Amino acid sequence: MTPKQRLIHIYRQLEQLGGEKTFVARGFAIGVFISMTPTIPLNTVLAVILGFLLRGSIPAAFIGTLISNPVTIPFLYYAAYWLGVTITGVQGVSFNEILTLAYHFNGPGTLQEKIHEAGHLIHGKVPVLWATLTGGIIMGIPVAIGTYYLTLRLLRASTSERLIPSEEKHKNDSTPDPS
């Protein structure tokens, strides 16, 4: 699926949720915000909690978390890391340390062994993790605000006229007009 097709698919999913446009846009923005933070194992849980607390659409928040995926995660997390380390002044980690940590998580061994080894590698690096989280939050705020207003505008426009023609219309357009 091309990026354009993916965006159209996301837009159609949001459009089908129904309900107040602001409710859906708020939920989607919450999910996108969570996607900017390095919290991948907890993205869905955090999106549900924030969606509930901030009164946004929980299904839309879930859709927003899909922005962080195997293709985008390296870019998002590196940007969060760079921003966080730059802002906080925390001493960063070397690329070799990151590769070593990734190797140990993907290498052989039980989950308990992997967690134990990761603990040794991360020991003393907690400030870097906090800096990365801080960078993700700082990066996520303007992205979420922009996402909210863009999504709201698109959803409101879709009520007056459909911005993206449905697949059924494309199928019907290919048939000759009998008149």
Side-chain angles (χ1 to χ4, degrees):
M1 185 179 286
T2 67
K4 181 180 177 181
Q5 290 171 327
R6 182 78 178 137
L7 289 173
I8 290 170
H9 179 70
I10 289 171
Y11 169 76
R12 286 192 179 132
Q13 286 179 319
L14 292 173
E15 193 177 43
Q16 290 173 0
L17 289 178
E20 287 281 326
K21 306 300 183 201
T22 55
F23 179 69
V24 173
R26 189 179 311 120
F28 186 64
I30 289 166
V32 171
F33 170 78
I34 293 297
S35 290
M36 299 293 120
T37 63
T39 56
I40 192 70
L42 303 172
N43 276 4
T44 304
V45 172
L46 292 172
V48 167
I49 292 169
L50 279 179
F52 178 76
L53 291 175
L54 300 175
R55 296 187 177 149
S57 167
I58 292 173
F62 174 75
I63 293 168
T65 63
L66 300 177
I67 298 300
S68 64
N69 58 59
V71 174
T72 62
I73 285 174
F75 302 105
L76 294 174
Y77 284 17
Y78 180 76
Y81 164 79
W82 179 86
L83 183 61
V85 168
T86 301
I87 288 173
T88 63
V90 168
Q91 177 67 35
V93 295
S94 72
F95 188 67
N96 284 337
E97 288 175 298
I98 294 170
L99 286 179
T100 302
L101 183 60
Y103 169 76
H104 284 291
F105 267 113
N106 292 321
T110 67
L111 180 60
Q112 184 178 8
E113 291 170 343
K114 290 178 183 184
I115 291 171
H116 180 71
E117 184 64 29
H120 286 293
L121 292 170
I122 293 174
H123 182 72
K125 305 297 184 205
V126 172
V128 172
L129 298 175
W130 282 112
T132 305
L133 181 61
T134 301
I137 291 169
I138 292 169
M139 186 173 66
I141 290 170
V143 171
I145 292 169
T147 297
Y148 171 77
Y149 286 109
L150 177 63
T151 304
L152 184 59
R153 184 173 182 169
L154 289 171
L155 291 173
R156 284 181 175 164
S158 72
T159 57
S160 60
E161 67 178 54
R162 202 164 160 83
L163 294 177
I164 301 171
S166 66
E167 294 170 5
E168 292 82 27
K169 185 173 180 176
H170 283 296
K171 290 176 187 173
N172 293 338
D173 286 346
S174 63
T175 58
D177 190 5
S179 51

